[in-house]
Amino acid sequence: MSSEANLLPLIVEPEQLAEHLDAPELLIIDVPLKAESYAEGHVPGAVFLDHRQLVLGSGEVPNDVPDAEALSALFSSLGLTRDTHVVAYDDEGGGWAGRLLWTLELIGHTRYSYLNGGIHAWRQEGLEESREPHAPTPSDYQAEILNPEVNIDVEAIKESLGDRQFAVWDARSPEEYAGEKGQNKHLGHIPGAVNMEWTRAMDPERGLRIRDYAELITELEALGLTPDKEVITHCQGHHRSGLTWLVGKALGFEKIRAYAGSWREWGNRDDTPIEK
């Protein structure tokens, strides 16, 4: 289905979602950083997703994308169908929710929204919460990587370095970017990458909602991140960059992609160029 047919916009406000809670095509997924967050209170009707299911979980790059079989099992267990409109949120301002929506984009399921600010914004508005677990109705969803271009691998990044239409948005902390901290074989950043930490895209005064778009665009343009470029975003494990990918989408960056391997892969290889 086309995005015009979507029930809700990409970034949905708590009040908007509250008006549609009974819509049969909605699947609301709470994918918190802290599992206990769901039990403490969630959007009525939301199902719980353990964020560890969004990553491969083993091998040299455990933060990479699970295979199609694992994704089929995951989305079937959540009750996803072709007609489902997913609303994702979390307890941390959009990292894991963004990773979930990025995964949906990867498999070609484009009917999705982000609850702006997640549970923090929902609570700030004083909206009703549930503490009862809501069990999904399982489906038979066959996932395929239909949009592989949403992801990018090491070789493609290396080939694009130096291209003026290619930019890398590093969503890690300034200390990680500068090579002053990290748990990798090599520290630093991808040559030419610019740093805006993921938390700088959130507004702590407004329940961790995405900050004012005009301000964000001005700050990103000052870093050389503009909507006309192919922008790659990453962090240590493509969790924090789940939010920065989503922010790029919301700001109209049509060529934004994420590097799922992130620094966990780049910083542990010996054939990747690094700057400090």
Side-chain angles (χ1 to χ4, degrees), residues 175-194:
E175 294 79 17
E176 288 168 281
Y177 175 80
E180 293 162 6
K181 66 178 265 198
Q183 277 87 45
N184 305 278
K185 190 173 178 183
H186 308 288
L187 303 182
H189 56 265
I190 295 173
V194 294

Side-chain angles (χ1 to χ4, degrees), residues 143-221:
E144 298 173 71
I145 306 295
L146 297 175
N147 289 333
E149 67 281 357
V150 179
N151 194 8
I152 188 169
D153 64 21
V154 169
E155 296 310 320
I157 294 174
K158 282 160 70 171
E159 285 168 21
S160 302
L161 294 179
D163 181 341
R164 297 176 69 167
Q165 284 304 109
F166 181 85
V168 179
W169 177 356
D170 187 330
R172 297 176 302 159
S173 67
E175 294 79 17
E176 288 168 281
Y177 175 80
E180 293 162 6
K181 66 178 265 198
Q183 277 87 45
N184 305 278
K185 190 173 178 183
H186 308 288
L187 303 182
H189 56 265
I190 295 173
V194 294
N195 181 222
M196 182 197 273
E197 189 168 5
W198 71 307
T199 53
R200 284 179 55 197
M202 304 172 199
D203 187 345
E205 302 294 310
R206 298 181 60 244
L208 302 186
R209 286 174 176 86
I210 295 170
R211 278 178 52 212
D212 178 79
Y213 286 12
E215 286 180 17
L216 274 174
I217 284 204
T218 302
E219 288 181 27
L220 291 169
E221 284 186 346

Side-chain angles (χ1 to χ4, degrees), residues 43-172:
V43 174
V47 301
F48 170 77
L49 170 59
D50 182 338
H51 62 73
R52 290 174 295 188
Q53 291 191 267
L54 293 171
V55 298
L56 193 56
S58 61
E60 287 185 9
V61 190
N63 44 282
D64 217 336
V65 183
D67 63 23
E69 189 180 358
L71 291 174
S72 296
L74 169 62
F75 289 117
S76 294
S77 75
L78 290 168
L80 189 67
T81 71
R82 297 286 167 200
D83 298 324
T84 305
H85 188 105
V86 174
V87 178
Y89 74 91
D90 56 40
D91 58 341
E92 50 156 8
W96 283 118
R99 172 80 189 230
L100 169 58
L101 298 182
W102 175 84
T103 305
L104 288 173
E105 182 77 24
L106 196 61
I107 63 171
H109 189 96
T110 55
R111 293 168 64 87
Y112 60 71
S113 303
Y114 168 60
L115 171 58
N116 201 6
I119 197 66
H120 294 283
W122 187 265
R123 286 177 181 150
Q124 194 177 61
E125 295 305 315
L127 294 163
E128 182 191 352
E129 288 177 63
S130 169
R131 286 176 185 80
E132 296 299 313
H134 183 79
T137 305
S139 60
D140 180 18
Y141 193 91
Q142 295 304 312
E144 298 173 71
I145 306 295
L146 297 175
N147 289 333
E149 67 281 357
V150 179
N151 194 8
I152 188 169
D153 64 21
V154 169
E155 296 310 320
I157 294 174
K158 282 160 70 171
E159 285 168 21
S160 302
L161 294 179
D163 181 341
R164 297 176 69 167
Q165 284 304 109
F166 181 85
V168 179
W169 177 356
D170 187 330
R172 297 176 302 159

Side-chain angles (χ1 to χ4, degrees), residues 218-230:
T218 302
E219 288 181 27
L220 291 169
E221 284 186 346
L223 292 170
L225 299 174
T226 51
D228 60 306
K229 291 182 180 174
E230 181 182 354

